[in-house]
Amino acid sequence: MMILRPENCTSSHQFLSGLTSLEPLQHSKIEKWKTQPFTALNGDVTYITFLRHSSSNSTFSFPSQHPIKMFHFRKLNPTQNPLRLKPSQNPRFHSSTKKPPESHKKSTIKEAQAALLEYLHSTRSLQFLDADNMCKNSPVFLNDLLNKSLSQNPNIDTKRSVSRYLRYHPINEFEPFFESAGLDPFDYANLLPREMIFLNDDVLLMENYHTLCNYGVRRTRMRKIFKLTPQVFRYQRGVLVSKLRGYEKLGVAPTTLVSVVPYSPCLLVGDADLDFVKVVEKFRDVVVVAKDGDWVEGHLLNGGCCNWGIVHQLLCLLDKVYGEEQMVDFIVRQPCVVFEDSGGRALSLFAFLVKFGLSVNQVSLLFLKFPRILASKFLSNLRQCFVFLREIEMEPAEIGKIFQSHSMMMGSSTMRKTGSVLGCLKVGKKRLRRIVMANPLEMENWVLGRKVEPLVNSSLELESKMLKKEFLLSVGYMENSRKLNEVIKLFRGKGAELRERFEFIVKAGLDSEDVLKMIQLSPRILNQTTDKINMKIEFLVSQGYPLSTLVNFPSYLSYGTERVKLRFSMYNWLKDHRAAEPGLALSTIIACSDQAFVKLYVNRHPSGLQVWQDLKTEVSSVV
């Protein structure tokens, strides 16, 4: 009689072959199913179900308490390959679909670990250190195993329950193995062998794994090696050892390799990385490697393998600007700057500051005082400050001066958005620009995390506001009225300029009473400078319209010069081609949108749209 249990099989192939032997079974050849009680030494009674094939003397037995739960032989289609099972029926996917781990008591977890250790070491003959690491560092798998075993044997102690479950339910040993190496279930799903469930069957994997362990690499720090360079574990015997010995011959200490390989496993792929060897020599020259390997452990922050060529370029650059003591001090205090993104962030920051006019010596001094933040964050803060200064319309030369003198301050904190600063301070861009130019250190008060209080109006602003108010009261606005306050906010510039612009329009030939009506209809016309007002009035008169036209449509003075010239040019062309009536009102020509103007007037002529586009290009190039 052959009992189909994993501990009776020398390999996973033998165990799976026992399953494939069921493939030719037909219902007509099944002699009988027989269930018999079996009494164990501890007194437990288990009912065993026997299946006998009529043309074979082999008998397969399963406990009837768990009647073929893992494989459901009764439901298998005899014409199909029994290896193509549902994930819940296939030991390869024993726990690849993970549920959130349930909380168990520490004592329960320890008993489960002891049962799993006994199974892996005693039954499956794994090395004790491997089995112990798998039991202690695979919490997701262990929780899944506990949930399944306790659900089937709730009335016995944990260790016996897990042991009984493992006796009849083979586990995929690769799952706790990969999890104990630091991989998550979704990371190792693609690494699971298709037709293996026992670790010792994968000879190359275990040989290379033990080579790294014996060399000094910790079992729990092989996550990146499995994730980024899984081909390392497929090397033939002796290949991995020869690669490690090759680096030793180039002058790299074994302790350095032990610390670097788990974080940059690409060193073990292909030929020896000479840039890495040069980096090690650089560190040795500046006497940084006090404890071999400590200079790299935990500081390789990029997700992939380290690009040692870029690290070497950065070290060569620092070697040119620093003395030995300064370089040692910088690397000891700021190792993340050297290794973040393989040193690429530090090089980007260096180039960014040089573009703003900082000398190499100024940048090197800044690096010596570098705050304890990532270089990428420092660079992001500088870019945010640059955007802020551009949005308040500061000249490039002034921006360069601020960066040259206050880069450390701007890079150490994150600046608020421009709109947020303007809203909190309740000022305009012009005043904010004057404040920054007078004292760039004021920007330090506008960073995220600090409360920003509104600025108090200066004496000049108060005086300008009083002049605006006096002018509006003189042209007919009521004091303390809502309309008065709204119009004051519309006006830009100084209060004295409003009176000057008002008098200029009167001198152009309009009656003062008419100008007062114009201001009440469209207060924004006084935001135009006297030069722009004069230019628009002269253009209007040149088109044959009397100056009195402005009384009924004062908003004409508020429109841009490009819009006014384009509309009149097109209107004159349409009149010449008899596609538009002469004498259209000024508001009709100017006030409507471009879409409405094209639809109502331009499309009246077959060539109107083409002429409109040509005139738009011509006017925009001149204005």
Side-chain angles (χ1 to χ4, degrees):
M1 180 184 296
M2 180 180 67
I3 306 298
L4 188 62
R5 292 180 181 171
E7 57 264 33
N8 294 334
C9 302
T10 59
S11 68
S12 58
H13 292 290
Q14 181 180 350
F15 178 77
L16 294 175
S17 65
L19 300 182
T20 57
S21 65
L22 293 176
E23 184 173 3
L25 289 179
Q26 302 291 335
H27 291 289
S28 60
K29 296 181 180 180
I30 297 176
E31 185 176 297
K32 62 178 178 178
W33 284 88
K34 183 170 62 176
T35 302
Q36 293 182 350
F38 173 77
T39 304
L41 295 176
N42 58 6
D44 293 339
V45 178
T46 303
Y47 287 88
I48 308 297
T49 300
F50 295 90
L51 169 64
R52 184 178 297 278
H53 193 267
S54 60
S55 61
S56 174
N57 294 325
S58 299
T59 302
F60 301 91
S61 66
F62 303 90
S64 61
Q65 183 181 356
H66 313 291
I68 321 174
K69 185 174 182 180
M70 196 67 184
F71 303 103
H72 298 278
F73 291 153
R74 291 175 187 254
K75 298 181 181 180
L76 285 177
N77 186 346
T79 63
Q80 296 179 349
N81 188 348
L83 290 178
R84 297 178 180 177
L85 305 174
K86 295 181 180 179
S88 60
Q89 300 169 338
N90 195 331
R92 166 175 147 74
F93 299 102
H94 183 263
S95 59
S96 59
T97 303
K98 301 296 181 184
K99 297 181 180 179
E102 299 179 7
S103 58
H104 295 283
K105 296 180 180 180
K106 290 184 178 180
S107 58
T108 304
I109 294 175
K110 286 184 178 180
E111 291 181 14
Q113 289 175 343
L116 183 59
L117 176 61
E118 182 180 350
Y119 170 78
L120 294 174
H121 179 56
S122 301
T123 305
R124 295 300 317 135
S125 302
L126 293 181
Q127 291 187 14
F128 179 82
L129 292 179
D130 295 340
D132 185 61
N133 180 59
M134 291 166 62
C135 297
K136 292 181 178 179
N137 297 295
S138 54
V140 176
F141 179 86
L142 196 64
N143 270 283
D144 182 72
L145 181 63
L146 269 171
N147 295 335
K148 291 182 177 180
S149 61
L150 294 178
S151 64
Q152 296 188 8
N153 302 286
N155 299 323
I156 61 177
D157 61 84
T158 303
K159 186 174 181 180
R160 288 178 58 195
S161 175
V162 174
S163 299
R164 177 175 294 183
Y165 182 85
L166 293 173
R167 188 181 305 153
Y168 301 109
H169 299 79
I171 62 170
N172 190 333
E173 296 172 5
F174 289 91
E175 292 185 6
F177 173 75
F178 287 133
E179 187 180 352
S180 64
L183 292 167
D184 295 323
F186 58 85
D187 289 331
Y188 66 66
N190 294 330
L191 298 176
L192 295 174
R194 295 188 62 84
E195 296 184 357
M196 290 187 196
I197 62 173
F198 300 141
L199 273 175
N200 286 334
D201 290 349
D202 197 335
V203 179
L204 288 179
L205 170 66
M206 298 310 293
E207 280 188 359
N208 289 293
Y209 177 76
H210 288 142
T211 298
L212 292 173
C213 294
N214 296 334
Y215 197 77
V217 179
R218 291 172 59 180
R219 286 172 166 80
T220 55
R221 290 194 176 179
M222 295 193 186
R223 177 177 179 271
K224 270 195 172 183
I225 307 178
F226 279 110
K227 193 171 182 180
L228 300 180
T229 57
Q231 63 269 35
V232 168
F233 297 96
R234 308 260 49 102
Y235 287 157
Q236 296 298 321
R237 179 175 296 179
V239 174
L240 184 56
V241 174
S242 65
K243 289 182 178 291
L244 295 171
R245 295 286 182 262
Y247 280 110
E248 291 181 18
K249 291 178 181 179
L250 293 173
V252 183
T255 49
T256 300
L257 283 172
V258 167
S259 293
V260 176
V261 164
Y263 298 98
S264 186
C266 297
L267 293 173
L268 302 177
V269 178
D271 298 329
D273 193 334
L274 298 181
D275 288 320
F276 167 68
V277 178
K278 294 177 183 178
V279 170
V280 174
E281 291 176 354
K282 280 285 184 184
F283 278 104
R284 186 184 298 115
D285 292 340
V286 297
V287 203
V288 172
V289 194
K291 297 179 181 179
D292 286 328
D294 288 351
W295 48 272
V296 69
E297 191 168 337
H299 298 303
L300 294 180
L301 302 179
N302 54 317
C305 291
C306 183
N307 189 328
W308 296 100
I310 298 178
V311 176
H312 184 247
Q313 291 179 14
L314 177 61
L315 292 177
C316 290
L317 177 63
L318 296 176
D319 196 21
K320 293 179 181 179
V321 298
Y322 292 140
E324 182 175 327
E325 292 183 2
Q326 288 180 322
M327 190 169 178
V328 171
D329 180 63
F330 171 68
I331 295 177
V332 169
R333 289 191 305 105
Q334 297 292 344
C336 290
V337 176
V338 179
F339 291 108
E340 184 185 358
D341 196 19
S342 303
R345 294 295 183 181
L347 290 175
S348 298
L349 177 59
F350 200 100
F352 183 83
L353 292 172
V354 169
K355 285 183 178 180
F356 280 96
L358 278 78
S359 65
V360 175
N361 289 333
Q362 286 177 311
V363 178
S364 62
L365 290 175
L366 183 145
F367 272 37
L368 287 178
K369 301 176 182 178
F370 206 82
R372 292 193 175 276
I373 61 175
L374 297 178
S376 57
K377 183 61 177 176
F378 192 91
L379 181 59
S380 175
N381 292 341
L382 287 178
R383 287 173 174 166
Q384 177 62 30
C385 287
F386 172 71
V387 171
F388 170 78
L389 296 175
R390 289 295 297 162
E391 288 182 347
I392 63 174
E393 301 172 3
M394 185 172 286
E395 295 295 328
E398 295 296 332
I399 295 177
K401 291 179 182 179
I402 293 175
F403 268 85
Q404 292 169 25
S405 57
H406 296 87
S407 292
M408 179 63 69
M409 178 269 294
M410 293 188 293
S412 300
S413 305
T414 304
M415 189 75 180
R416 288 173 178 263
K417 299 288 186 180
T418 308
S420 175
V421 176
L422 293 173
C424 293
L425 296 177
K426 296 185 178 179
V427 296
K429 292 182 179 180
K430 187 175 181 180
R431 184 182 177 188
L432 188 60
R433 186 168 60 250
R434 290 200 305 267
I435 294 172
V436 173
M437 291 174 62
N439 184 16
L441 291 175
E442 285 290 334
M443 290 192 293
E444 198 170 7
N445 299 321
W446 307 331
V447 300
L448 293 176
R450 290 194 178 183
K451 186 176 181 181
V452 181
E453 299 288 347
L455 292 178
V456 179
N457 290 330
S458 64
S459 58
L460 292 176
E461 290 179 335
L462 292 174
E463 182 182 356
S464 177
K465 189 174 182 179
M466 289 299 298
L467 290 174
K468 291 178 183 179
K469 185 176 180 181
E470 290 177 5
F471 170 75
L472 291 174
L473 290 174
S474 66
V475 297
Y477 285 90
M478 299 297 294
E479 189 170 2
N480 297 328
S481 64
R482 181 180 177 182
K483 186 69 174 176
L484 176 67
N485 295 328
E486 291 177 354
V487 173
I488 289 177
K489 293 179 181 179
L490 291 176
F491 286 140
R492 298 192 298 267
K494 300 177 181 178
E497 293 174 343
L498 298 181
R499 176 68 62 179
E500 179 186 354
R501 293 164 186 172
F502 172 80
E503 293 175 354
F504 182 85
I505 297 174
V506 173
K507 290 178 182 179
L510 289 173
D511 186 72
S512 60
E513 294 295 330
D514 291 336
V515 177
L516 290 177
K517 293 178 181 178
M518 291 168 56
I519 294 173
Q520 291 178 353
L521 287 173
S522 181
R524 294 180 184 273
I525 63 175
L526 294 183
N527 284 334
Q528 305 291 316
T529 63
T530 54
D531 292 337
K532 289 186 177 181
I533 292 174
N534 183 49
M535 182 180 62
K536 291 176 183 178
I537 290 177
E538 289 180 352
F539 184 80
L540 179 66
V541 174
S542 68
Q543 298 300 316
Y545 284 82
L547 193 60
S548 58
T549 310
L550 293 175
V551 178
N552 295 325
F553 187 58
S555 297
Y556 163 81
L557 298 175
S558 300
Y559 287 100
T561 306
E562 182 178 348
R563 181 190 183 104
V564 171
K565 289 186 176 182
L566 176 61
R567 293 292 178 89
F568 271 111
S569 299
M570 189 67 211
Y571 175 58
N572 291 333
W573 186 88
L574 291 171
K575 285 195 303 181
D576 295 341
H577 290 78
R578 298 181 180 181
E581 303 82 5
L584 284 180
L586 184 61
S587 59
T588 303
I589 301 173
I590 303 298
C592 62
S593 64
D594 285 348
Q595 292 181 347
F597 187 79
V598 170
K599 183 178 180 180
L600 294 174
Y601 300 105
V602 176
N603 289 338
R604 291 182 178 183
H605 194 279
S607 303
L609 192 58
Q610 182 60 44
V611 174
W612 168 261
Q613 296 296 336
D614 295 341
L615 289 174
K616 184 183 291 187
T617 304
E618 180 182 346
V619 171
S620 62
S621 62
V622 174
V623 177

